[in-house]
Amino acid sequence: QVQLVESGGGLVQPGGFLRLSCAASGSILSINTMGWYRQAPKKERELVAAITSGGSADYADSVKGRFTISRDNAKNTVYLQMNSLKPEDTAVYYCNVEYYSRDGSLYRSWGQGTQVTVSS
């Protein structure tokens, strides 16, 4: 089973920035798609951004032009650079990784979540 460790959340003022990191470790043969989701209070979890193994990225309309997802395959790490943050970005952010285990099967794993709060 793979372990995902998230970091980088915190409290920032509107217009500020944060960079989230998620490092995967464990019985990983290779990583397929990596992504970030978020869940605000009393709302459903939503996809924020995803990136394929080839580097193709997709974003939610609400974050296009402000957030950038990237990955470092050598470190099994995915990042989310969040700029021009807005109060509506406040949520718990979860990373998600689709990966092939050394047993040859495809699995999906979730990070523990990191709180992002945007407030003045």
Side-chain angles (χ1 to χ4, degrees):
Q1 192 172 28
V2 68
Q3 296 79 46
L4 303 181
V5 179
E6 298 183 33
S7 63
L11 173 64
V12 297
Q13 295 183 341
F17 59 90
L18 286 171
R19 190 182 77 155
L20 306 183
S21 299
C22 177
S25 63
S27 300
I28 301 172
L29 180 62
S30 63
I31 296 178
N32 189 22
T33 300
M34 309 180 82
W36 289 94
Y37 292 72
R38 68 185 181 188
Q39 187 166 19
K42 300 182 179 180
K43 293 185 178 180
E44 295 184 353
R45 187 173 298 186
E46 64 175 345
L47 176 66
V48 177
I51 185 168
T52 68
S53 60
S56 179
D58 290 309
Y59 300 91
D61 289 341
S62 59
V63 306
K64 287 181 179 177
R66 299 188 298 120
F67 291 11
T68 302
I69 188 171
S70 62
R71 60 192 288 171
D72 186 335
N73 291 330
K75 298 180 179 180
N76 286 340
T77 300
V78 61
Y79 306 93
L80 186 67
Q81 180 66 46
M82 304 184 294
N83 298 327
S84 302
L85 284 162
K86 304 175 180 180
E88 50 263 45
D89 295 318
T90 296
V92 177
Y93 285 70
Y94 300 88
C95 67
N96 177 266
V97 176
E98 292 182 338
Y99 68 98
Y100 285 96
S101 175
R102 293 189 174 92
D103 65 5
S105 298
L106 181 64
Y107 297 95
R108 170 178 278 193
S109 186
W110 292 90
Q112 82 280 6
T114 184
Q115 177 70 48
V116 172
T117 302
V118 185
S119 177
S120 59

